Amino acid sequence: MDIILADREAEIMEVLWDFGPSTVNEVKERVTDDLAYTTVLTILRTLETKGYVTHDPEGKAHRYSAVVERDAARRSALRAMAEKFFKGSTASLLTHFVGDEPLKPSDAKRLRELLSKRGRKSKS
């Protein structure tokens, strides 16, 4: 499943992933910009239409919950980025990130370990 999130949708999904099921007011309080209640509600309804969130009635309000996992959304976004900018090559995407950004020694070590594991898996 391709998970495509606009910037505002991603911000609202982050709230649901970080804080769990939330009402519109709770989401509104936790986003960085001062959005109108109706704007947050519209985005939540759009996310629900896309199948990324669901809601349960709670009194007069609804409590919205993420249906898709954060890691699934991340993988989908990275695949889309690789397709769009790197002709589908995840290796080119990774090389670009590693080549352009200074890495802490702990990050470099972790990347080496992950690449080593992946190399062993592909030989099996």
Side-chain angles (χ1 to χ4, degrees), residues 3 18 22 36 42 57 62 100 112:
I3 301 166
D18 289 343
S22 304
T42 299
H62 291 107
D100 283 357
R112 280 193 296 277

Side-chain angles (χ1 to χ4, degrees), residues 14 22 36 40 46 62 66 74 76 80 95-96 107 112 117-118:
E14 287 290 336
S22 304
V40 175
T46 299
H62 291 107
R74 286 176 176 165
S76 186
T95 302
H96 179 78
D107 291 337
R112 280 193 296 277
K117 281 183 188 176
R118 297 291 292 181

Side-chain angles (χ1 to χ4, degrees), residues 94 97-98 101-116:
L94 179 61
F97 279 129
V98 172
E101 296 295 322
L103 292 175
K104 294 185 274 183
S106 60
D107 291 337
K109 180 182 177 192
R110 183 166 181 254
L111 282 172
R112 280 193 296 277
E113 290 169 355
L114 288 169
L115 289 171
S116 178

Side-chain angles (χ1 to χ4, degrees), residues 3 13-14 19 35 42 44 50 53-54 57 59 61 63 70 74 80 84 89 91 97 104 111 117 121 124:
I3 301 166
M13 289 299 294
E14 287 290 336
F19 297 96
L35 301 177
T42 299
L44 284 164
K50 290 180 175 184
V53 304
T54 189
R63 188 161 291 276
R70 186 188 322 241
R74 286 176 176 165
K84 188 172 186 175
S89 170
F97 279 129
K104 294 185 274 183
L111 282 172
K117 281 183 188 176
K121 284 183 182 179
S124 301

Side-chain angles (χ1 to χ4, degrees), residues 1-34:
M1 166 193 216
D2 286 337
I3 301 166
I4 301 167
L5 297 170
D7 290 343
R8 289 271 189 228
E9 292 173 340
E11 182 179 15
I12 286 176
M13 289 299 294
E14 287 290 336
V15 170
L16 296 177
W17 288 322
D18 289 343
F19 297 96
S22 304
T23 64
V24 176
N25 276 323
E26 291 168 343
V27 172
K28 182 182 177 317
E29 291 170 5
R30 292 175 175 142
V31 293
T32 55
D33 292 333
D34 186 24

